[in-house]
Amino acid sequence: MPGAQIEARGLAKSFQAPVLEDVSFQVRPGRSLALVGPSGCGKTTILHILAGLISGDSGQVELSPKEAGRSLVMQDHGLFPWKNAARNLELPLILAGLAPGERKGRVAAMLQSMGLAGLERRYPSQMSGGQRQRLALGRALIGRPDLLILDEPFSAIDAITRETLQELLVSLWKGLGLTIVLATHSIDEAIFLGDQVLVLGGRPTRILSSLDNPVAGLDRDQNLPAIMELAARVRQALAARV
Amino acid sequence: MPRRILRLALPVGFSILMWQISALLLGPRLLPGPLAVALDFFSCLGDRAFLKDFSASALRAGAGIALALAIPFPLGLAMGASRRLDALLSPIVFLTYPIPKVLLLPILLVLLGMGEAPKILLVAVTVGYQVLVVTRDSVLSLDPRFLDSFQSLWPRGREAHSKSFRRLMLVWHVLGPAALPSAATSVRLASGTAVAVLFMAESFATQRGLGYVIIDAWGLMDLPRMFSGILAMGLLGAFFYSLANLAERRLVPGGNA
Ligand SMILES: Nc1ncnc2c1ncn2[C@@H]1O[C@H](COP(=O)(O)OP(=O)(O)O)[C@@H](O)[C@H]1O
Ligand SMILES: [Mg+2]
């Protein structure tokens, strides 16, 4: 059952101060949406609403099919430091009520496909940043979600590893037919990973611009005219706020 | 390795030297020298009665500490996890927390008699209060990210599953392992007090145990034996200290990052 459709309408959220105001968007099954905006603009808040961790003050999120599975890769990975790689991967399966035999098989397969074979007994603190991020990605995918939500997944990683991981994400996205929503503060990353790029800003935050991106996942050559033009439009939208 | 031995040997050697000097100044009737005590201690190691006293104390301390984990640790987790339980229990806990638990000794003796139970229980209460408070606090101060992370892993369609199962999973996979290292720390820090209250309990309410050996030798003015008993009790405390220290390090693999 690949891909879920998301329909978010009029999301608003205040903490001490209003953070989000009237954020609406739609993501079609198997497509990806990149949220880009400055730190503190409410990206995590939107993703947590999508993931069902918090609810908005108003507005609604509709997933279809209704029972579509969703999982979240948290900012700073959210792995449990007291569990080794295999046990971190296993937890969602335990919570889903799978039998131990099946859990073992799926954990081994996920370690393999994330390029973490042989590291199953390592604790997160004993892994590199890139390996941790692979593990977090694997933990989010092991429950076979239709919607994958990623909160600045690669921002704490060196540039070379980041490119490898971005490619990995694209191949998973295309291979599994996932719907993806990701937050980033990197314009390049938003353009490489998002079919659609939502530029967020203002106070309280609203959508400054929504751009269709035909080159997502295809090329990362920043000198390509299509990519240069998109990047310029994102920068324009960010600069024009207030 | 040689460096570590040197770092240990220097202060130990210095202490023994100071001890020897003081013993020479005070004379053997007030303070036996290290050699006399060492000789007596080694003869104790071959003395079945002394070994029985040693193991009696070790078992009491061990059982007390085990009990101090078995009940207060889960209770601390439960208080941390349940607002209602915490509201009910924490006023009682914090009112009684500052009371020196050794004051319970006569009460326990009246209630439970002269057997093992009051001694074990006194150690358990002394250590257990620390474990309880530290465990509760470490659950309450847990980084909320971990709670979000756990919640985000909960599969859709299982929201309806029993709330208590969900809470059990949270305690087992998140709160428990997160709080264990601090619980081990509290045992380590309380191990000295544990041996101290055990000494109190054994010094009059029994005929067996290192506390009895010390007090008995004191009565007979057998100073080398008295010091052997003190040394043995000290080693007992050091043993539980290192045990907890080891547990602490094993429970935090590669640091709690
Ligand atoms: N739980 C919270 N309590 C209070 N304020 C919050 C909370 N979560 C987020 N905020 C505030 O909401 C704003 C948006 O935060 P966030 O969604 O984390 O932004 P971003 O992910 O884009 O950096 C920030 O100003 C932040 O301080
Ligand atoms: Mg954020």
Side-chain angles (χ1 to χ4, degrees), chain A residues 111-123:
Chain A
L111 284 162
Q112 194 72 40
S113 58
M114 288 295 134
L116 294 172
L119 300 181
E120 49 265 50
R121 286 162 172 275
R122 292 271 187 96
Y123 287 87

Side-chain angles (χ1 to χ4, degrees), chain A residues 20-36:
Chain A
L20 298 176
E21 182 187 82
D22 192 26
V23 171
S24 305
F25 53 85
Q26 190 200 40
V27 191
R28 293 208 306 283
R31 292 314 196 77
S32 70
L33 173 75
L35 306 175
V36 62

Side-chain angles (χ1 to χ4, degrees), chain A residues 15-16 19 38-46 75 151-152:
Chain A
F15 290 104
Q16 284 86 355
V19 174
S39 234
C41 75
K43 299 183 294 295
T44 296
T45 305
I46 294 175
Q75 196 166 355
D151 196 354
E152 302 197 24

Side-chain angles (χ1 to χ4, degrees), chain B residues 4 6 32 82 85 95 108 145 173 183 201 203 226 245:
Chain B
R4 278 179 62 181
L6 199 68
S82 157
L85 189 68
L95 272 177
L108 290 175
R145 263 185 12 217
H173 290 287
S203 61
M226 184 179 96
N245 197 20

Side-chain angles (χ1 to χ4, degrees), chain B residues 47 59 66 70 89 98 107-108 113 117 164 181 194-195 197 210 213 225 243 256:
Chain B
D47 177 356
L59 281 175
L89 292 185
I107 303 171
L108 290 175
S164 53
V195 173
V197 298
L210 291 171
V213 168
R225 179 54 50 97
L243 200 65
N256 231 334

